[in-house]
Amino acid sequence: MGVEGDSASCAELFVLLSSLADLPLKQGIAVTGAVNLHGEVLPVGGVNEKIEGYFRICRTAGLDGTQGVLIPHRNRRQLMLDRDVVEAVRQGLFHIYTAEQASDGIELLTGCASGMGGPPGEYAPDSVLGRVQKTLQAYRRACQAADNPKSPRKNAR
């Protein structure tokens, strides 16, 4: 089965940013949520089933306190979770995180500041967006160099 609907768009964005920034994502946190052009994380359907399904996988593998889910902040009102999930959360063995903005999610998943909040286009070099910007600028320079090779030097006599 392929990806359906928008509920994977946050995860897809985070993977892309992670790759461009050369920063790993925490592997124990499942992600669901749609994202719009303004970086707002939008609610999705089936959030309880998604959480409970991932919880069962983690419980089978062994809960170690690092696993959890990242869901849209606006979905928190729909939470009606199984008692086992609630108890694991209470004990700190499983976590439910929420995000209003994509920047919240990328910070959680990388442990690195997103770079949002400053002037547009100006990001701290060690932030996720600063690292992405550096990668994209290097790519642009490489493309420009490939499109405009220097003319070969002629031997002077």
Side-chain angles (χ1 to χ4, degrees):
M1 175 192 269
V3 175
E4 287 186 35
D6 293 335
S7 61
S9 60
C10 275
E12 292 166 334
L13 174 62
F14 298 149
V15 167
L16 180 63
L17 291 174
S18 165
S19 180
L20 289 171
D22 195 27
L23 287 169
L25 297 175
K26 294 177 184 174
Q27 295 299 296
I29 300 174
V31 176
T32 190
V35 63
N36 70 15
L37 294 174
H38 302 286
E40 297 167 329
V41 178
L42 305 174
V44 295
V47 72
N48 291 302
E49 293 80 5
K50 291 173 183 177
I51 294 169
E52 290 172 353
Y54 186 63
F55 173 78
R56 285 192 298 274
I57 291 168
C58 293
R59 184 175 56 191
T60 299
L63 293 172
D64 63 13
T66 64
Q67 300 110 329
V69 293
L70 174 61
I71 66 169
H73 184 75
R74 289 170 45 190
N75 273 121
R76 73 193 185 289
R77 292 179 181 246
Q78 285 86 37
L79 294 182
M80 296 282 294
L81 298 167
D82 181 81
R83 285 189 178 124
D84 291 345
V85 177
V86 173
E87 183 60 22
V89 169
R90 190 185 67 72
Q91 292 178 14
L93 296 173
F94 191 77
H95 305 277
I96 300 173
Y97 304 100
T98 66
E100 291 186 64
Q101 296 288 321
S103 57
D104 302 331
I106 197 67
E107 288 180 359
L108 170 71
L109 294 170
T110 63
C112 187
S114 70
M116 294 298 294
E122 294 182 27
Y123 310 111
D126 59 339
S127 69
V128 175
L129 293 178
R131 294 170 66 118
V132 167
Q133 186 175 46
K134 181 180 175 186
T135 299
L136 293 176
Q137 288 171 339
Y139 179 71
R140 179 179 181 199
R141 285 191 298 275
C143 289
Q144 288 172 335
D147 288 343
N148 301 315
K150 294 182 180 180
S151 58
R153 293 184 179 175
K154 295 181 182 179
N155 292 335
R157 293 186 192 187

